[in-house]
Amino acid sequence: MPPPPPPFSSSSLLTRIASSTPLASLFSTSRLFSSPPPSPTSSPAMDRAAADDSLRKALAERQAAVDAQGNAVRALKAGKAPKPEIEAAIAELNRLKIDKAGVEKQLQAAVSGAAAGEGALTREAFRRLVANTLERRLFYIPSFKIYGGVAGLYDYGPPGCEVKSNVLAFWRQHFVREEEMLEVDCSCVTLETVLKASGHVDKFTDLMVKDEKTGTCYRADHLLKDFCNEKLQKDLSISAEKAAELKHVLATLDDLSADELGAKIKEYGITAPETKNPLSDPYPFNLMFQTSIGPSGLLPGYMRPETAQGIFVNFKDLYYYNGNKLPFAAAQIGLAFRNEISPRQGLLRVREFTLAEIEHFVDPEDKSHAKFSQVADLEFFMFPREQQMSGQAATKTRLGEAVSKGTVNNETLGFFIGRVYLFLTCLGIDKDRLRFRQHLANEMAHYAADCWDAEIECSYGWIECVGIADRSAYDLRAHTEKSGVALVAHEKFAEPREVEKLVIAPNKKELGLAFKGNQKMVIESLEVMGEEEALQLKAALESKGEAEFLVCTMGKSVIMKDNMVKISKQKIKEHQRVFTPSVIEPSFGIGRIIYCLFEHSFYTRPSKAGDEQLNVFRFPPLVAPIKCTVFPLIQKQEYESVAQLISRSLTLAGVSNKIDITGNTIGKRYARTDELGVPFAITVDSQVDVTIRERDSKDQVRVSVGEAASVVKELIDGHRTWSDIWSSFPHHASASAEEDE
Amino acid sequence: MPPPPPPFSSSSLLTRIASSTPLASLFSTSRLFSSPPPSPTSSPAMDRAAADDSLRKALAERQAAVDAQGNAVRALKAGKAPKPEIEAAIAELNRLKIDKAGVEKQLQAAVSGAAAGEGALTREAFRRLVANTLERRLFYIPSFKIYGGVAGLYDYGPPGCEVKSNVLAFWRQHFVREEEMLEVDCSCVTLETVLKASGHVDKFTDLMVKDEKTGTCYRADHLLKDFCNEKLQKDLSISAEKAAELKHVLATLDDLSADELGAKIKEYGITAPETKNPLSDPYPFNLMFQTSIGPSGLLPGYMRPETAQGIFVNFKDLYYYNGNKLPFAAAQIGLAFRNEISPRQGLLRVREFTLAEIEHFVDPEDKSHAKFSQVADLEFFMFPREQQMSGQAATKTRLGEAVSKGTVNNETLGFFIGRVYLFLTCLGIDKDRLRFRQHLANEMAHYAADCWDAEIECSYGWIECVGIADRSAYDLRAHTEKSGVALVAHEKFAEPREVEKLVIAPNKKELGLAFKGNQKMVIESLEVMGEEEALQLKAALESKGEAEFLVCTMGKSVIMKDNMVKISKQKIKEHQRVFTPSVIEPSFGIGRIIYCLFEHSFYTRPSKAGDEQLNVFRFPPLVAPIKCTVFPLIQKQEYESVAQLISRSLTLAGVSNKIDITGNTIGKRYARTDELGVPFAITVDSQVDVTIRERDSKDQVRVSVGEAASVVKELIDGHRTWSDIWSSFPHHASASAEEDE
């Protein structure tokens, strides 16, 4: 029987927002605006959902009370009741209305993600504030902006480009160097055959609907999602039951077939958002950018939708390069392209993005990992399948325990989960807004052994940023089959082993006589029999001399006689074991990680005068686009020369830095660099000593001109911490005074 | 008058082999196989071309002599001359034949690029040797190899990927950091409008011919080039005149129009290489990979053919980011895609490649460069236009002199030429096989002020690896015009300046009465008049009251009367100057540089036993894919632990290293790492001291276990040289003995 159609690589899920908890985790603004160090507490999604439910019920009760009292007032008026009685009833009605309005407000706040309370920002407002800062300071720019731009394409401007290259350099150090991976760099333009084998040509699709009059295209699930969300957020009058139904639709959105999606769209009367025209039925659209290789137009190609396939097709050479030894990992950083139907969510869903992927090849019979003990004691939020199904929240779990209990399938998968946790938190991702969520059975490919997503919470909800999947032997087998090149590993035995093997020997002559032109199909069916089936056939042939035998490719059974096939178990000596390695694949959406990093690093603090809020990115030095700024305190040639000298030393030491010799006040200059996330600033106010200021504490120390660059270098490299420096050098007293000079 | 159609960005030339000296520089093998440090001498192309010419003439003379003597012998035989006389004549004929064969051999050697002499390798053989090593050691792999591959697509395997990332990291340090450039990272998928404006949609084409029966496509110029080269190399009987004609065709190949190319192909009777079928006429094929953005199919897009356009369209934001100040440079490293018709030349002409481009924006009225003095004293091979035209060779020139004499158009262009020289030679490009060649007038875009290519000599000839062009204001103007967004710079005057400006004020009422529907065209013509033309018209109107006036868009002259237009010079106060900056563009073909680096770094040396030639890449530490290998001398647990310890220290210090604990002889292990270009090897043969071996000298020193990693780190970072180490540590005596142990 042919296997079910192959789903595409799990990394393709990277562009999908985890949809199982779409309304989970309403924002607590106190967390967004806390000053460093942040100490947010985890807020379990399920608690909030329950609160939401009870608010809806309370609101319905209040509404009923208002209605009842309204009727009572009308009855009193109709019955010409005494005026004081009517007035008292009206007063009670007003009280009930106020009461209802209060509950309404609470529910409104809950569904729109804002915490109740003064000065609270909704998550949308927070997102706008961050986006505004990012665009204004050129962290990113919509591509081809002067031509109106295109949805889903963004350029990284200078600070964004620096952040990206810092993140990638750290990725290379943390994974490739530390784990001695084989890094490769493969073509983006990809032969159709490769993506046929991987399943992308046939299966890498999203369901699309068209405005039947204008032809504008939409993602079918997006329209349904928007409808449900809007209904839940804006229409407070819907019953708790209706709300539950809509939430169920949201939770199962990814599982809906084209027909089911179409039916829901019809049921809810959803129309095209701009025109309100009717919509077509949903149909699949392949998300790969197609092109043609060479001038003939006969060789179709695609821009790769992931980097993994480049590694799989090179497995044989890489295995050889590694001395024909397992386990080993290959890694690749590179662009991937997905022609999204209608990209939204800014930097999170784009048509061109950088992936960093690891394919760790391992013997399927031994998935232990030599270095697992190094990460076993890490503790972080894990969200296993069972907890999701039973409505519990993610809990802090010791990784070693999750593996030993079997929650995480094997040590190698566990090892990578631990390394991913370290990677993300070193970059500055808030560990309390990071969780590892296990795929539900319906999310996972049929061949996958286990799959965990590193999800990061940001203003868009919980975002899948890294997928870590045990994909078993699926990919290598698919390319072995299609290319005819065996992508396998060998284990040489120290001594030959005697093994019992089933041998199926068709008698071609007899089969030819009996089945003529169908002979080949019969032989194939015989050869692919499983052990159990073969032994049953053997028994039947031995006892009855003939047996019915199903030939799938002919679609019917034939009569097999005992002279047509010899089935036996033989002992043979094997010198090696040949097998297809399993692959464990951590796949990083670099752009998504960076975007979440932007949100987690952003905070505001009042200016000294208190008249405005200043923006700060609390990037760690590792990530900061510029590590240090150098300012002459005032415009003076001597100070400028010293500043140039220090800047030059920093550059030679490989520390990216920027001189600011504008005549702006020092406070303005600090504010400007805080907004770029520059961790340290050197201010030159003498030719002997200078001050070094730390961004988040705003503390300043006095350091000699000669030492300044090397002190900053040590801070940047992590050889000394700010508190080391703070305790080693004289403090600068006039620090805060200068900020708003 | 409309300007001539805009040629595409000069960087597009990066995929073209400089064709003006296609047969220049036959290889002197002694250079290829010299042991480090190499000290090749420059071999002027023109000398060789002259030698080739005189050999052809000599060969024709010898052939004539052989023919004459043959006739004489036949005449003697026919005349029944005495036997001794005939025998003497035959002996002379044989002498002449041997003489001719000698000349023929010399010519053959000259045209095929082999130096005469024993053991010499032809350039093809050398190339095969390098390519074999590169492929076997996985520096690169043909993409999708298990599916048969695709011409022009290659993957970098582990060592190639490391070399590439080292080259890019150094590029970033040498250019972006040192010159404080604004690095950006823009989309590869590009809107058609952008590439319409840049001229790529209309002009980025190569001429193609098709096999008229099979439809197979070929580059028309390639077929003509192959024909000429083959004729010159294989048919030694052609006259010096014919040879000169073919060489002229080769030299002017890039200038031939479709018609001229077609005529040559017909004249020479060139047919399809495989089938010998007739060929179609040449026609243009656009080299961009086309695709479609979004699902509607209505938004055409292309994979960018260069990275430069991403910078140009972002100019306005970048200028603002730079505090609205000139000069500044933006830089970008990224992929570019060109759908070559039939890629050849391995890694040099590929369909997907990494470009690193700088766009340095500068005031067109001041192209001086503050740091020019830092590079002015550099001396290297320059090949100005005049020297190419007059048949002279490239000469060593002081950069400062080339700029002061005006050979190089301006200081900024000169500065970048100097920085490119430093960049390439630091990587390990042989300075004697590197030259800066100025574009000839016919190679340069009409708007370009000057253009120099850094060309590197390898087995394919002189290869353009970096283009350094002063593109004037062309690109920014093109996008200003198309987008309607002014991509300009401002220079604020300290005090307002009084300037005299020509003011042309058409009288619309009178013009409307006179020209009715043509009024608009007349007004446009009036407004675009140059100063001189306007003043002539003014004079004519003032003296005669009317004048003839040519309206281009109407294709005829009209009679202009003095009441129809007022032309005057007025003094006005200007507070700032608004202008389109010039752009100076150094554009690096990273893959080409890396390939040339491979060839320049490769050499062989005999094994100790003398029974084989061992391959070595003499990469500098900066470039080497792995900086250090660590070997236990023999398989012993104590040594292995020490090796692990040292390896771990190296990794923590960011030094890429590899442990080899195989049981191979130390000689085999050294040979294996030499072939990967690993500069240093640490061999562990005690728990106290270890040896460090330098790759090229094979010298070894003894260093304590604790110091080993830090010594290597200092060597890698360039803080100490090998000779420092050699003079500071005890030498290891048994060094050479161990090599072939």
Side-chain angles (χ1 to χ4, degrees):
Chain A
M1 239 182 30
F8 40 83
S9 158
S10 72
S11 64
S12 62
L13 292 170
L14 268 175
T15 55
R16 292 205 204 117
I17 300 299
S19 60
S20 54
T21 52
L23 279 178
S25 100
L26 304 175
F27 263 65
S28 131
T29 54
S30 64
R31 270 158 57 187
L32 301 174
F33 278 74
S34 64
S35 283
S39 56
T41 53
S42 155
S43 42
M46 296 304 164
D47 290 2
R48 292 203 218 92
D52 176 2
D53 262 11
S54 75
L55 281 172
R56 280 187 198 278
K57 279 180 189 144
L59 181 61
E61 282 163 19
R62 302 295 192 282
Q63 183 64 51
V66 167
D67 292 348
Q69 187 65 17
N71 289 338
V73 170
R74 270 187 294 280
L76 287 173
K77 283 181 176 169
K80 310 240 187 237
K83 207 175 167 194
E85 201 176 330
I86 294 179
E87 279 171 355
I90 290 176
E92 173 62 9
L93 177 60
N94 286 341
R95 197 193 58 75
L96 287 171
K97 278 184 178 168
I98 289 166
D99 190 20
K100 181 201 133 197
V103 176
E104 205 165 42
K105 207 173 160 188
Q106 275 178 281
L107 178 57
Q108 184 71 62
V111 295
S112 70
E118 265 186 321
L121 271 181
T122 61
R123 58 165 88 178
E124 282 75 17
F126 173 74
R127 186 192 302 152
R128 272 196 304 276
L129 186 60
V130 178
N132 178 287
T133 311
L134 291 173
E135 270 205 65
R136 192 163 36 77
R137 300 312 302 268
L138 247 52
F139 280 86
Y140 70 92
I141 312 162
S143 300
F144 327 118
K145 190 170 132 183
I146 61 171
Y147 290 101
V150 187
L153 292 176
Y154 294 91
D155 298 344
Y156 284 97
C161 193
E162 289 275 2
V163 167
K164 183 180 171 190
S165 96
N166 293 338
V167 169
L168 292 178
F170 180 57
W171 193 87
R172 211 170 243 137
Q173 174 66 20
H174 186 79
F175 291 105
V176 180
R177 290 255 183 292
E178 289 266 344
E179 309 302 328
E180 296 179 63
M181 295 175 179
L182 307 183
E183 191 179 348
V184 297
D185 180 11
C186 308
S187 287
C188 293
V189 175
T190 303
L191 268 187
E192 185 174 52
T193 333
V194 175
L195 296 162
K196 265 277 187 194
S198 68
H200 285 88
V201 172
D202 296 323
K203 298 280 162 193
F204 194 61
T205 56
D206 271 341
L207 291 167
M208 174 163 97
V209 288
K210 269 194 180 177
D211 180 319
E212 286 198 339
K213 289 186 185 154
T214 67
T216 308
C217 305
Y218 303 94
R219 258 183 71 165
D221 58 344
H222 280 181
L223 294 190
L224 182 56
K225 185 178 174 182
D226 290 350
F227 173 86
C228 295
N229 278 331
E230 197 165 314
K231 202 81 186 160
L232 283 166
Q233 285 172 26
K234 305 252 168 92
D235 187 352
L236 299 178
S237 67
I238 56 169
S239 66
E241 290 70 34
K242 186 70 184 175
E245 179 197 317
L246 295 173
K247 284 179 188 175
H248 178 76
V249 170
L250 286 169
T252 55
L253 213 52
D254 277 358
D255 295 333
L256 297 183
S257 68
D259 288 347
E260 288 165 339
L261 259 176
K264 279 283 165 209
I265 286 172
K266 283 222 164 60
E267 181 189 334
Y268 293 153
I270 300 172
T271 54
E274 286 94 27
T275 62
K276 306 296 164 205
N277 288 333
L279 294 166
S280 72
D281 286 333
Y283 59 97
F285 171 75
N286 194 299
L287 295 180
M288 292 192 291
F289 282 100
Q290 192 172 4
T291 190
S292 185
I293 305 174
S296 69
L298 303 174
L299 193 60
Y302 298 90
M303 301 312 298
R304 64 179 177 193
E306 59 175 30
T307 68
Q309 301 306 322
I311 296 178
F312 297 137
V313 300
N314 284 320
F315 171 78
K316 202 180 165 181
D317 280 336
L318 293 169
Y319 179 58
Y320 169 78
Y321 187 85
N322 200 52
N324 292 328
K325 281 200 193 69
L326 283 187
F328 76 91
Q332 180 167 200
I333 296 170
L335 287 175
F337 302 83
R338 296 180 190 178
N339 197 6
E340 296 287 345
I341 292 169
S342 49
R344 310 187 298 184
Q345 297 185 304
L347 293 176
L348 290 181
R349 185 176 301 273
V350 290
R351 284 173 163 152
E352 181 179 327
F353 51 97
T354 299
L355 282 180
E357 297 192 293
I358 295 167
E359 308 297 330
H360 180 93
F361 298 102
V362 62
D363 185 336
E365 294 179 7
D366 177 12
K367 295 183 179 174
S368 65
H369 196 289
K371 293 191 190 170
F372 180 71
S373 63
Q374 293 181 6
V375 295
D377 286 330
L378 291 175
E379 246 190 74
F380 44 78
F381 283 104
M382 299 192 79
F383 201 11
R385 197 174 293 145
E386 289 66 31
Q387 276 168 243
Q388 296 170 55
M389 302 296 285
S390 64
Q392 291 170 268
T395 44
K396 274 210 172 164
T397 313
R398 219 186 112 259
L399 182 54
E401 201 179 300
V403 170
S404 63
K405 274 188 180 167
T407 313
V408 170
N409 183 281
N410 57 70
E411 268 189 16
T412 300
L413 195 63
F415 176 73
F416 280 111
I417 290 176
R419 293 292 294 169
V420 168
Y421 172 80
L422 291 172
F423 173 73
L424 294 173
T425 50
C426 280
L427 288 180
I429 291 295
D430 176 0
K431 64 181 169 27
D432 290 314
R433 280 188 277 164
L434 167 63
R435 70 182 184 194
F436 288 83
R437 191 180 69 79
Q438 190 175 31
H439 276 205
L440 299 175
N442 63 3
E443 287 178 271
M444 218 162 54
H446 65 94
Y447 49 77
D450 196 3
C451 186
W452 292 77
D453 289 340
E455 294 185 340
I456 305 176
E457 194 188 30
C458 75
S459 68
Y460 289 100
W462 285 97
I463 303 300
E464 177 196 347
C465 289
V466 186
I468 309 154
D470 181 337
R471 299 174 53 74
S472 75
Y474 174 73
D475 309 278
L476 293 182
R477 285 218 180 105
H479 286 296
T480 296
E481 205 170 289
K482 191 89 177 179
S483 70
V485 175
L487 305 177
V488 293
H490 304 261
E491 184 201 0
K492 286 223 168 63
F493 299 141
E495 292 176 17
R497 291 185 193 170
E498 196 162 78
V499 289
E500 212 177 39
K501 276 226 157 175
L502 184 77
V503 178
I504 299 171
N507 183 326
K508 291 194 180 170
K509 192 178 151 202
E510 295 296 331
L511 289 165
L513 287 169
F515 302 114
K516 311 256 158 38
N518 291 331
Q519 180 198 6
K520 203 170 153 238
M521 283 190 273
V522 175
I523 291 178
E524 279 171 3
S525 286
L526 283 170
E527 286 175 343
V528 299
M529 265 188 297
E531 176 152 343
E532 200 178 337
E533 193 189 352
L535 293 178
Q536 278 172 8
L537 180 63
K538 179 183 160 78
L541 291 178
E542 280 169 5
S543 63
K544 302 180 205 152
E546 64 173 51
E548 263 201 4
F549 178 65
L550 177 70
V551 181
C552 279
T553 44
M554 290 168 67
K556 63 170 187 179
S557 293
V558 298
I559 299 299
M560 188 65 49
K561 299 205 169 139
D562 62 356
N563 63 347
M564 293 178 184
V565 60
K566 199 175 155 230
I567 296 169
S568 58
K569 278 207 145 182
Q570 293 180 9
K571 284 196 173 163
I572 52 171
K573 280 204 170 173
E574 281 193 341
H575 296 265
Q576 62 173 5
R577 185 167 72 94
V578 179
F579 60 95
T580 305
S582 278
V583 62
I584 287 161
E585 177 189 86
S587 172
F588 299 70
I590 296 297
R592 289 185 162 198
I593 294 171
I594 290 174
Y595 177 76
C596 291
L597 195 55
F598 287 152
E599 280 205 8
H600 286 204
S601 304
F602 185 84
Y603 68 99
T604 63
R605 57 185 175 200
S607 65
K608 175 93 177 163
D611 54 347
E612 54 175 334
Q613 288 288 320
L614 302 175
N615 303 322
V616 188
F617 282 108
R618 67 166 85 84
F619 298 130
L622 181 70
V623 165
I626 298 167
K627 312 297 182 201
C628 186
T629 36
V630 190
F631 305 140
L633 181 63
I634 48 170
Q635 287 180 310
K636 194 169 165 185
Q637 189 51 50
E638 298 92 293
Y639 295 175
E640 208 174 307
S641 305
V642 172
Q644 296 285 5
L645 198 79
I646 294 174
S647 165
R648 186 80 203 136
S649 309
L650 288 168
T651 301
L652 283 175
V655 175
S656 79
N657 66 92
K658 208 170 159 58
I659 278 201
D660 184 346
I661 52 164
T662 58
N664 289 321
T665 66
I666 195 75
K668 276 224 177 81
R669 283 183 280 171
Y670 282 143
R672 216 148 68 172
T673 64
D674 290 346
E675 206 177 44
L676 283 176
V678 182
F680 303 105
I682 297 175
T683 302
V684 180
D685 55 0
S686 96
Q687 289 174 277
V688 184
D689 289 329
V690 297
T691 61
I692 303 181
R693 170 198 187 255
E694 194 275 334
R695 176 195 58 212
D696 296 312
S697 63
K698 297 195 271 182
D699 287 339
Q700 300 185 36
V701 293
R702 297 293 289 177
V703 176
S704 74
V705 166
E707 273 177 300
S710 62
V711 165
V712 169
K713 168 82 175 154
E714 286 176 311
L715 282 164
I716 297 303
D717 290 348
H719 297 152
R720 289 173 91 172
T721 64
W722 179 251
S723 52
D724 294 344
I725 300 298
W726 186 245
S727 58
S728 315
F729 291 91
H731 301 176
H732 187 54
S734 60
S736 54
E738 273 167 12
E739 293 266 321
D740 289 271
E741 202 179 278
Chain B
M1 241 182 26
F8 41 82
S9 159
S10 72
S11 64
S12 61
L13 293 171
L14 268 176
T15 54
R16 289 202 208 124
I17 301 298
S19 60
S20 52
T21 52
L23 279 180
S25 100
L26 304 176
F27 263 67
S28 130
T29 52
S30 65
R31 271 163 50 190
L32 299 175
F33 278 73
S34 62
S35 283
S39 56
T41 54
S42 155
S43 42
M46 295 303 165
D47 289 1
R48 292 203 220 93
D52 177 2
D53 262 11
S54 75
L55 281 171
R56 281 187 196 277
K57 279 180 188 142
L59 182 62
E61 282 161 19
R62 300 296 193 285
Q63 184 64 50
V66 167
D67 292 348
Q69 187 64 18
N71 289 340
V73 169
R74 270 187 294 279
L76 288 174
K77 282 180 176 169
K80 310 243 186 240
K83 208 177 168 191
E85 203 176 325
I86 295 178
E87 278 172 356
I90 288 177
E92 172 62 8
L93 177 61
N94 286 340
R95 198 194 57 77
L96 287 171
K97 278 185 177 168
I98 289 167
D99 190 22
K100 181 201 132 196
V103 176
E104 206 165 42
K105 206 172 159 190
Q106 276 178 281
L107 179 57
Q108 184 72 63
V111 296
S112 70
E118 267 187 319
L121 271 182
T122 60
R123 58 164 89 178
E124 282 77 15
F126 173 74
R127 187 191 303 152
R128 272 196 305 274
L129 186 60
V130 178
N132 178 286
T133 312
L134 291 173
E135 270 206 64
R136 191 165 36 76
R137 299 311 302 269
L138 247 53
F139 279 86
Y140 69 91
I141 311 161
S143 300
F144 325 119
K145 189 169 132 185
I146 62 170
Y147 291 102
V150 188
L153 292 177
Y154 293 92
D155 298 344
Y156 284 97
C161 192
E162 289 276 1
V163 168
K164 183 180 170 190
S165 95
N166 293 338
V167 168
L168 292 178
F170 180 56
W171 192 87
R172 210 170 245 138
Q173 174 67 20
H174 186 78
F175 292 105
V176 179
R177 290 256 183 290
E178 289 266 343
E179 309 302 329
E180 295 178 64
M181 296 174 178
L182 307 182
E183 190 179 348
V184 297
D185 180 11
C186 306
S187 286
C188 294
V189 175
T190 303
L191 267 188
E192 185 175 52
T193 332
V194 174
L195 296 161
K196 265 278 187 195
S198 68
H200 285 87
V201 172
D202 296 324
K203 299 279 164 194
F204 193 62
T205 56
D206 271 340
L207 291 166
M208 172 163 98
V209 289
K210 269 195 180 177
D211 180 319
E212 286 198 340
K213 288 184 186 157
T214 67
T216 308
C217 305
Y218 303 95
R219 259 183 70 165
D221 58 343
H222 279 180
L223 294 190
L224 183 56
K225 186 177 172 183
D226 289 350
F227 174 85
C228 296
N229 277 331
E230 197 164 315
K231 202 82 185 159
L232 283 166
Q233 286 172 25
K234 304 252 167 91
D235 188 352
L236 300 178
S237 68
I238 56 170
S239 65
E241 290 70 33
K242 185 70 185 175
E245 179 196 317
L246 295 173
K247 284 180 188 173
H248 178 76
V249 170
L250 285 169
T252 55
L253 213 53
D254 277 359
D255 296 334
L256 297 183
S257 68
D259 289 348
E260 287 164 340
L261 258 176
K264 279 284 165 209
I265 285 172
K266 283 222 165 57
E267 181 188 335
Y268 294 153
I270 299 172
T271 54
E274 286 95 27
T275 62
K276 307 296 164 207
N277 289 332
L279 294 165
S280 73
D281 285 333
Y283 60 97
F285 171 74
N286 194 299
L287 296 180
M288 292 192 291
F289 282 100
Q290 192 172 2
T291 190
S292 183
I293 305 174
S296 69
L298 302 173
L299 194 60
Y302 299 90
M303 300 312 297
R304 65 179 177 193
E306 58 174 32
T307 68
Q309 301 305 324
I311 296 178
F312 296 136
V313 300
N314 284 322
F315 171 79
K316 201 179 166 183
D317 280 336
L318 293 169
Y319 179 59
Y320 169 79
Y321 187 83
N322 199 53
N324 292 329
K325 282 200 191 69
L326 284 187
F328 76 92
Q332 180 168 201
I333 296 170
L335 287 175
F337 301 83
R338 294 179 191 178
N339 197 7
E340 297 286 344
I341 292 169
S342 50
R344 309 188 298 184
Q345 299 184 303
L347 293 176
L348 289 180
R349 185 176 302 274
V350 289
R351 284 173 163 152
E352 180 178 328
F353 51 97
T354 299
L355 282 180
E357 298 193 293
I358 296 166
E359 309 297 330
H360 180 94
F361 298 101
V362 63
D363 186 336
E365 293 179 9
D366 177 13
K367 294 183 180 176
S368 65
H369 196 289
K371 293 191 190 171
F372 180 71
S373 62
Q374 294 180 6
V375 294
D377 286 328
L378 291 175
E379 247 190 74
F380 44 78
F381 283 105
M382 298 193 80
F383 202 11
R385 197 174 291 145
E386 290 67 29
Q387 275 167 243
Q388 296 169 56
M389 302 295 284
S390 64
Q392 292 169 271
T395 45
K396 273 211 172 166
T397 313
R398 220 187 112 259
L399 182 56
E401 201 179 300
V403 171
S404 63
K405 275 188 178 168
T407 313
V408 170
N409 184 281
N410 58 70
E411 268 189 15
T412 299
L413 195 62
F415 175 74
F416 280 111
I417 290 175
R419 294 291 294 169
V420 168
Y421 172 80
L422 291 173
F423 174 72
L424 294 173
T425 50
C426 280
L427 287 180
I429 291 295
D430 176 0
K431 64 182 170 25
D432 290 314
R433 282 188 276 165
L434 168 63
R435 71 181 184 195
F436 287 83
R437 191 180 70 79
Q438 190 174 32
H439 277 204
L440 299 175
N442 63 2
E443 286 178 273
M444 218 161 55
H446 66 94
Y447 49 77
D450 196 3
C451 187
W452 293 76
D453 288 341
E455 293 184 339
I456 305 176
E457 195 189 29
C458 74
S459 68
Y460 290 100
W462 285 98
I463 303 300
E464 178 197 347
C465 289
V466 187
I468 309 153
D470 182 336
R471 299 174 54 74
S472 76
Y474 175 73
D475 308 280
L476 293 181
R477 283 218 181 106
H479 286 297
T480 297
E481 205 170 290
K482 190 88 176 179
S483 70
V485 175
L487 304 178
V488 293
H490 304 261
E491 185 201 1
K492 286 225 167 62
F493 299 142
E495 291 177 15
R497 290 184 195 171
E498 197 162 77
V499 290
E500 213 179 39
K501 276 225 158 174
L502 184 78
V503 177
I504 299 171
N507 183 326
K508 290 192 181 170
K509 194 181 152 198
E510 294 297 330
L511 289 165
L513 287 170
F515 303 112
K516 311 254 156 38
N518 291 330
Q519 179 198 6
K520 204 172 152 236
M521 285 190 272
V522 176
I523 291 178
E524 278 173 3
S525 287
L526 283 170
E527 285 176 344
V528 299
M529 267 189 297
E531 176 150 346
E532 201 178 336
E533 192 189 354
L535 292 178
Q536 278 172 7
L537 180 63
K538 178 182 161 80
L541 291 177
E542 280 169 4
S543 62
K544 301 180 207 152
E546 64 175 48
E548 263 201 4
F549 178 66
L550 177 70
V551 181
C552 279
T553 44
M554 289 168 68
K556 61 171 190 179
S557 292
V558 299
I559 299 298
M560 187 66 48
K561 299 206 168 139
D562 62 354
N563 63 349
M564 293 179 185
V565 61
K566 199 177 155 227
I567 297 168
S568 58
K569 279 203 146 187
Q570 292 180 12
K571 286 194 174 164
I572 54 173
K573 280 204 171 175
E574 281 191 343
H575 296 266
Q576 63 173 5
R577 185 167 73 92
V578 178
F579 60 95
T580 306
S582 276
V583 62
I584 287 161
E585 177 189 85
S587 172
F588 299 70
I590 297 298
R592 289 185 161 197
I593 293 171
I594 290 174
Y595 178 75
C596 291
L597 195 55
F598 287 153
E599 280 204 8
H600 285 204
S601 304
F602 185 84
Y603 68 100
T604 63
R605 58 186 174 198
S607 65
K608 176 92 177 163
D611 55 346
E612 55 175 333
Q613 288 287 319
L614 302 175
N615 303 322
V616 189
F617 282 108
R618 70 167 82 84
F619 298 129
L622 181 69
V623 166
I626 298 167
K627 312 299 182 201
C628 186
T629 36
V630 190
F631 305 140
L633 181 64
I634 48 170
Q635 288 182 307
K636 195 168 163 184
Q637 188 50 50
E638 297 92 294
Y639 295 176
E640 209 175 305
S641 304
V642 172
Q644 297 285 5
L645 198 79
I646 294 174
S647 166
R648 186 79 203 138
S649 308
L650 288 168
T651 301
L652 283 175
V655 176
S656 78
N657 66 93
K658 208 171 158 58
I659 278 201
D660 183 348
I661 52 164
T662 59
N664 289 321
T665 66
I666 195 75
K668 278 225 177 80
R669 281 183 281 171
Y670 282 143
R672 215 149 70 173
T673 65
D674 290 346
E675 206 176 46
L676 283 176
V678 182
F680 303 104
I682 297 175
T683 303
V684 180
D685 56 0
S686 96
Q687 288 174 278
V688 184
D689 289 329
V690 296
T691 61
I692 303 180
R693 169 198 187 254
E694 195 275 332
R695 176 194 58 213
D696 296 313
S697 63
K698 297 196 267 182
D699 287 337
Q700 299 185 37
V701 294
R702 297 293 291 176
V703 176
S704 74
V705 167
E707 273 177 301
S710 63
V711 165
V712 169
K713 168 81 176 157
E714 286 176 312
L715 281 164
I716 298 302
D717 289 348
H719 296 152
R720 290 173 92 173
T721 65
W722 180 250
S723 52
D724 294 343
I725 300 298
W726 187 244
S727 57
S728 314
F729 291 91
H731 301 176
H732 186 54
S734 60
S736 53
E738 275 167 12
E739 292 268 321
D740 288 272
E741 202 179 278

